[in-house]
Amino acid sequence: SVAGGAAVATWRSDDPGVGSGFFAAYAPSGTPTVTATRGRQPVGYGDATLTATVANGASVRADLALPAGRLRLYPAAPAANVELGSLAHASLTIDNSGTAPLLFGLEGVAIEEHFEGTVFPPDGWSVVNVGGGCAWSALDPMQAANTAGGDGRAAMVDLYPCWGGDASDTALVSPPLDLSASHTASVGFFLSLFEGADNVPRLDIDASADGGASWTTVHSETRENNGSGPGALIELDLSAFAGASDVRVRFHYTGTPPWGSVVVDQVHLFETINASTWLAATPDHGTLAAGESRALDIAFDARTVAQPGTYRMPIRIAEDTPYEWPFGDVEATMTVTAPANYGALAGHVRSLGACDAQPQALAGATIAIHAATGGDWSTTSDADGAFRYWVEAARGPFTLTIEAPGHRPVTQDYTVAAGSETPADVDLRALLPCLGIDPATPIAELASGQSAALALDLLNTGAAATDWTVRTGGDPALPSPVPLVQTTSPTPTQNTSFACINPPTGYSLDNRYLRRFDLASRGVPAGETVVRGVTFAVDSAMSSTGSQPVTVRVHALHGELAFANLELLAEKTVEVADSALQRISVTFDAPLHVAGDAVLVAEIHVPSGVAAGNTFYPGGNSDGESAPAYWAAHDCGIDEPLAYPEIGFDWVHLILELDTLASDPCGANAAPVDWLALAPAAGHIDADALSPLQATFDATAEADGVYGGSICLAATPSAASTIAIPVTMRVGSGGDAVFADGFD
């Protein structure tokens, strides 16, 4: 404004010699005062003024620069090497290269919440809901996208479930934050606010200095803000609440259903960096005049940490300039070294797995360490099962007790030498039964018309006792139906599907839906597999003629899942009648015979229905799956198969199964042989023990020949642990019953 007159806004001139920030205003002749304020520029700019000399009828140039501080740090990554038990210092230079004073503060994370837990609200958080409207809840990424930018769960209010109900008035309240020792504080989070028709949304970020008795609004959002993603970073100053011992922050949302939502994720509440146990700044806050520079003392305290290693802490730079310092740009690093009289216990913890035969790294195992001279410590194994713990060597020897859920603990003694590393690899036995029979493959040779009993040993070589059941199974040489499925439930759920469609008509375009089956992992004995056909489900099928063609295919896969790597083995086109929520089984004209370790791909091909007026959605549900399905649709830009989760449909579990015949003598579809009886039928067996079992072979009704059967042995209550033990009966003429393993 000029001489207190009406304000004018700056604009960008088309003249490249002028550029942005140009203004023109009428001024009275004389020496008027020209004042510039920040307007829509970022907070942190001050006002600029000058006195112009203006002659009547003349144009005068008046350039103004808005004053602002600008903070610089050297180095941006303060670091120190410190011996365990010692203290070290480093210098951090902070200066103001701007044209106005600035305020600064160094902050660390006090509360960090990503809402990834299975319980909502998280521990320490609370939800306060007024009335019967939709409240804050956990966003499930299987059902909705996290539009606030995170990969997993988030906090969300979704108004759609409250269609026709009360408006929402709901608050998500943080745990208490003690700012009694802080001079600055702040909160940061990512926001996605979707504004639907007649939604009238409002999100207030409030803070309380008295534990929630009273609230002050710090910031409000009343319009759409990244409603479809990727999320807006919101950072707010809470320094007005510094000094209080019970500060809370709440996200207070109101809105009218059904169209509207708010998503909040990655919430960080910051306090003074000096609240850290190992890092402190002196001073941790202050004021810098324009052009002023100050050296801060950064103390790295290795007396407060238990072990050598690298410790990192991101530092938030709180300041009142218009220039951003994104959280994480400044990080302090303390590298703690071991004293000369220390040595390390280091090793890997493995689980031996089922039957002590499936070793793998065991993460999260607890390693308790006891020193002979007194002292107890503990650590845990990392994702690779590795651990390392430094100890004062003279306090040994050391007793290590390694424990993990579902495993038998192990205790071992170790001696440690100063300056060296003592290997301490440990294998833990899983608390699982491991059942078997001795002899491993019983064989009986009987004369015609004879019967005989064979005494067997039921073995449990596992580390856990178990109840067990045993029954007669079928002939391993006779294949039985074995459906190959990847969905937990075979039943389709309404509207759990998607397709590439023609938007103006809603008719289907060309769609291909696929599932990949690795036969080697199917859990039945190896050998040739016969594929009889394919079963799929229909979510909805609608046509102008009452039915439409759908083609099912089975391919062999050679390499990665790409159309060029598929070898067509069989296909069949069927007419699908208009229907909803049904299962359809398609049998090939001739069965396929494939190797037991082949990788097969089942496909549903829905041709374009635009010309015929057809719409088809394959059936699915959200009840769980062991592997994702895949989809391709050229008309929607997907030329190669993409996994459902890659396109945002991880909540859709496609029902697509292979109907196979395979050796599965203990399966539900196998016919038990009638010449074998087992007793007892059930019992209990301790870990690392054996128990008697009797098998009776009856050849009285069998002709001479060789007969195959199975003993189906299962640890209960887990029927999935059933194992099939092959049994052979040879029937010939003459002689007593003879067992090929030496028993008679």
Side-chain angles (χ1 to χ4, degrees):
S1 65
V2 179
V8 297
T10 59
W11 53 289
R12 181 178 179 83
S13 170
D14 292 334
D15 183 348
V18 177
S20 299
F22 174 78
F23 75 94
Y26 290 104
S29 59
T31 56
T33 299
V34 183
T35 302
T37 60
R38 70 179 180 87
R40 294 192 298 270
Q41 297 301 311
V43 173
Y45 284 109
D47 296 345
T49 62
L50 62 77
T51 300
T53 301
V54 180
N56 191 31
S59 295
V60 176
R61 177 169 176 165
D63 293 333
L64 300 97
L66 298 180
R70 185 151 196 178
L71 185 146
R72 306 284 189 178
L73 288 177
Y74 309 97
N81 292 324
V82 194
E83 185 177 282
L84 184 68
S86 301
L87 181 68
H89 295 266
S91 181
L92 177 65
T93 300
I94 182 169
D95 68 34
N96 180 2
S97 63
T99 56
L102 64 81
L103 298 173
F104 72 89
L106 275 62
E107 298 175 352
V109 176
I111 297 172
E112 181 175 353
E113 186 55 63
H114 294 253
F115 305 101
E116 294 298 337
T118 57
V119 176
F120 189 91
D123 185 37
W125 292 73
S126 61
V127 172
V128 178
N129 208 38
V130 178
C134 288
W136 285 98
S137 62
L139 179 149
D140 184 354
M142 298 292 287
Q143 302 293 335
N146 184 347
T147 50
D151 294 329
R153 295 176 178 270
M156 179 183 193
V157 183
D158 182 7
L159 297 181
Y160 186 77
C162 291
W163 189 319
D166 294 344
S168 284
D169 185 346
T170 181
L172 177 64
V173 184
S174 77
L177 176 62
D178 184 358
L179 296 179
S180 57
S182 297
H183 293 85
T184 66
S186 57
V187 59
F189 60 93
F190 283 87
L191 171 70
S192 172
L193 180 66
F194 172 65
E195 180 183 6
D198 302 319
N199 175 206
V200 197
R202 183 180 183 90
L203 176 68
D204 290 330
I205 292 84
D206 304 328
S208 170
D210 52 16
S214 61
W215 294 93
T216 300
T217 298
V218 178
H219 178 78
S220 297
E221 297 274 344
T222 59
R223 305 293 296 180
E224 171 114 1
N225 189 348
N226 282 258
S228 300
L233 173 62
I234 308 293
E235 293 182 303
L236 306 172
D237 183 24
L238 298 179
S239 297
F241 303 88
S245 61
D246 189 359
V247 176
R248 314 289 177 105
V249 173
R250 74 177 182 182
F251 300 86
H252 183 197
Y253 176 78
T254 58
T256 303
W259 311 114
S261 64
V262 60
V263 180
V264 169
D265 201 3
Q266 303 175 61
V267 178
H268 291 70
L269 296 173
F270 297 93
E271 61 185 349
T272 173
I273 194 67
N274 291 351
S276 163
T277 58
W278 60 267
L279 186 70
T282 304
D284 66 338
H285 70 289
T287 303
L288 286 179
E292 182 183 359
S293 179
R294 184 181 304 177
L296 308 184
D297 178 69
I298 307 298
F300 296 86
D301 193 349
R303 300 170 301 181
T304 62
V305 298
Q307 285 287 288
T310 301
Y311 296 82
R312 293 184 173 89
M313 180 176 296
I315 301 174
R316 183 178 189 274
I317 306 300
E319 37 79 37
D320 63 350
T321 79
Y323 304 101
E324 294 182 350
W325 276 90
F327 176 58
D329 277 9
V330 180
E331 183 178 71
T333 302
M334 179 173 70
T335 303
V336 180
T337 59
N341 62 335
Y342 272 56
L345 291 157
H348 288 80
V349 182
R350 295 192 312 172
S351 169
L352 293 179
C355 295
D356 297 342
Q358 300 175 14
Q360 60 181 358
L362 187 56
T366 299
I367 299 95
I369 304 168
H370 175 75
T373 59
D376 293 281
W377 310 274
S378 68
T379 186
T380 57
S381 59
D382 64 16
D384 296 322
F387 72 93
R388 175 177 285 100
Y389 202 89
W390 292 84
V391 291
E392 190 176 351
R395 302 186 66 175
F398 300 90
T399 301
L400 271 60
T401 300
I402 300 91
E403 297 180 300
H407 291 77
R408 182 178 290 178
V410 168
T411 298
Q412 294 182 10
D413 293 330
Y414 296 90
T415 299
V416 176
S420 66
E421 185 176 282
T422 298
D425 294 333
V426 177
D427 289 337
L428 298 185
R429 298 184 69 196
L431 290 176
L432 297 171
C434 179
L435 299 183
I437 297 290
D438 186 24
T441 55
I443 301 173
E445 295 186 357
L446 284 76
S448 298
Q450 207 174 22
S451 64
L454 171 61
L456 307 174
D457 284 330
L458 172 63
L459 306 178
N460 180 11
T461 57
T466 185
D467 294 330
W468 56 268
T469 61
V470 69
R471 59 182 174 84
T472 301
D475 185 349
L478 298 178
S480 56
V482 181
L484 295 186
V485 301
Q486 294 177 340
T487 46
T488 303
S489 169
T491 305
T493 302
Q494 189 172 15
N495 297 328
T496 311
S497 187
F498 67 93
C500 181
I501 63 170
N502 179 273
T505 64
Y507 297 142
S508 298
L509 296 172
D510 194 89
N511 288 266
R512 301 178 73 174
Y513 303 89
L514 310 99
R515 276 197 176 277
R516 178 186 182 278
F517 296 90
D518 186 350
L519 299 187
S521 62
R522 60 197 163 137
V524 299
E528 182 183 74
T529 296
V530 178
V531 180
R532 300 187 301 171
V534 172
T535 294
F536 64 94
V538 177
D539 181 89
S540 62
M542 295 173 288
S543 65
S544 59
T545 60
S547 68
Q548 60 184 294
V550 173
T551 300
V552 296
R553 300 187 180 103
V554 172
H555 310 265
L557 177 61
H558 306 289
E560 297 297 319
L561 183 51
F563 287 127
N565 294 332
L566 296 181
E567 175 191 355
L568 180 63
L569 301 179
E571 67 177 343
K572 189 169 185 177
T573 300
V574 295
E575 285 290 319
V576 177
D578 292 352
S579 57
L581 302 180
Q582 69 163 331
R583 286 169 57 89
I584 296 176
S585 293
V586 179
T587 301
F588 294 135
D589 295 335
L592 295 173
H593 294 263
V594 297
D597 59 354
V599 178
L600 302 181
V601 173
E603 177 189 352
I604 306 168
H605 178 208
V606 182
S608 174
V610 173
N614 299 333
T615 302
F616 182 89
Y617 290 89
N621 56 50
S622 300
D623 297 332
E625 60 183 352
S626 60
Y630 296 81
W631 176 65
H634 173 76
D635 295 317
C636 284
I638 311 296
D639 291 320
E640 290 291 341
L642 285 180
Y644 277 25
E646 294 183 60
I647 48 178
F649 289 102
D650 43 4
W651 56 277
V652 178
H653 305 156
L654 176 71
I655 298 172
L656 177 57
E657 306 165 0
L658 284 178
D659 300 329
T660 71
L661 289 174
S663 175
D664 188 19
C666 292
N669 297 314
V673 297
D674 57 5
W675 45 263
L676 177 65
L678 302 164
H684 179 86
I685 187 169
D686 291 333
D688 297 312
L690 58 85
S691 182
L693 182 68
Q694 180 172 285
T696 301
F697 295 81
D698 185 359
T700 56
E702 310 299 337
D704 290 358
V706 178
Y707 298 84
S710 299
I711 297 174
C712 300
L713 179 60
T716 56
S718 176
S721 63
T722 299
I723 57 175
I725 299 167
V727 177
T728 302
M729 182 177 72
R730 295 175 181 156
V731 181
S733 58
D736 295 329
V738 176
F739 296 97
D741 51 36
F743 293 88
D744 58 23

